[in-house]
Amino acid sequence: MADTKIRAVFFDFMGTCLDWHSGTIQVLPQFIAESERSKLALEWRQDYFDSNTARLAANEPPENIDVTLRKTLDALLEKHPEHKPLFDDRTKHQCVVAWHSMPAWPEVSPAVEQLKAAGYEVFVFANGTTRLQLDLCKSSGLRFDMLFSSELLGVYKPAPKSYRKTLELVNVKSEESVMVAAHAYDVRGGKEAGMKTVYIHRWTDDINEDMEVVKGENDFFLEDMTSLAEVIGRL
């Protein structure tokens, strides 16, 4: 074990570990220009986040992510009627299913394996379904000790209950844990729960956040996970 009190590292999954953008623009209709597909993908992703935020604010239980993605895709196309004829039911289904098969960012697997070799326990702690997380582990080749989904926990991040319940299940104190995420709300929730936090900057995520503010909120702010094991060893 590394000479530190940290025992467990919790990873957000989509965006933090996985390049969802590349996978999404590949499945969107190729008749649409790549630059426009990129904009649609980013907007769809933000709409998904907004939907989760609304459900959490309304004290509603987590919704199956496939259902949320389909609803937000339908709503997205209403905002972009010029693209709507390209999306029949089969195409929409393929677009949603594609979220179950995304590649990892190239430096993530070595970073996770370095942490495991150093003796840390590594977990996925992310909104979504357990089926989604299992499928994404297969598509990405990433290996974790346990997967915690909002479906399994019964609550979305960043609700405080989600952090408390996850830490209780693995019998780890908040001060012995690190939250690693590319989403400010994830690490803010982790910080509030007493966890250490490492923010991973991904151009695909947190497009509406002020990165100068985010830099000052976390123990470390990294452009990728290349030095993740090193910085966690310093916590």
Side-chain angles (χ1 to χ4, degrees):
M1 168 68 73
D3 186 18
T4 175
K5 65 179 181 180
I6 298 298
R7 294 173 52 198
V9 183
F10 294 87
F11 290 86
D12 174 65
F13 213 13
M14 197 77 77
T16 302
C17 296
L18 304 168
D19 178 11
W20 64 266
H21 183 268
S22 293
T24 302
I25 64 171
Q26 287 176 9
V27 74
L28 291 174
Q30 301 299 295
F31 289 107
I32 303 173
E34 183 172 342
S35 60
E36 182 65 15
R37 277 183 277 134
S38 176
K39 292 177 183 178
L40 286 172
L42 291 168
E43 188 175 351
W44 187 14
R45 176 74 163 154
Q46 187 58 50
D47 288 349
Y48 161 76
F49 282 131
D50 292 344
S51 177
N52 285 355
T53 299
R55 289 186 67 85
L56 183 59
N59 200 31
E60 295 177 346
E63 183 175 60
N64 186 308
I65 189 172
D66 293 352
V67 174
T68 309
L69 287 169
R70 178 59 187 263
K71 286 180 179 178
T72 51
L73 177 58
D74 286 339
L76 177 69
L77 294 174
E78 291 300 322
K79 294 186 289 183
H80 296 276
E82 70 276 18
H83 299 313
K84 193 174 179 180
L86 298 173
F87 289 81
D88 57 16
D89 282 343
R90 181 173 178 272
T91 300
K92 290 178 182 179
H93 177 72
Q94 290 175 331
C95 289
V96 170
V97 169
W99 288 88
H100 286 252
S101 181
M102 297 293 179
W105 295 104
E107 85 288 354
V108 173
S109 182
V112 171
E113 293 305 316
Q114 287 170 10
L115 288 167
K116 291 164 68 176
Y120 299 103
E121 294 176 327
V122 294
F123 304 102
V124 167
F125 174 31
N127 291 335
T129 61
T130 299
R131 180 71 265 166
L132 175 76
Q133 293 178 353
L134 289 167
D135 291 342
L136 290 171
C137 283
K138 291 179 181 178
S139 68
S140 66
L142 298 175
R143 300 183 300 165
F144 296 91
D145 294 313
M146 182 70 181
L147 309 173
F148 293 100
S149 66
S150 55
E151 177 188 47
L152 192 67
L153 297 168
V155 63
Y156 287 119
K157 288 181 301 174
K161 179 182 177 182
S162 66
Y163 297 86
R164 291 196 302 267
K165 188 170 184 180
T166 302
L167 291 168
E168 288 171 2
L169 286 169
V170 296
N171 194 24
V172 170
K173 298 176 182 178
S174 59
E175 62 268 26
E176 298 173 327
S177 65
V178 184
M179 184 73 221
V180 179
H183 309 123
Y185 74 82
D186 277 331
V187 287
R188 286 169 184 155
K191 184 70 71 177
E192 185 176 337
M195 304 170 77
K196 299 293 186 180
T197 60
V198 178
Y199 185 88
I200 309 297
H201 182 222
R202 302 293 192 194
W203 74 269
T204 55
D205 289 78
D206 272 0
I207 58 178
N208 296 323
E209 289 283 347
D210 183 339
M211 286 300 118
E212 291 305 312
V213 172
V214 175
K215 286 179 181 178
E217 293 177 336
N218 295 282
D219 295 292
F220 287 99
F221 180 100
L222 304 177
E223 291 297 334
D224 61 29
M225 293 191 196
T226 303
S227 61
L228 183 62
E230 174 193 346
V231 301
I232 288 178
R234 291 157 54 189
L235 291 173

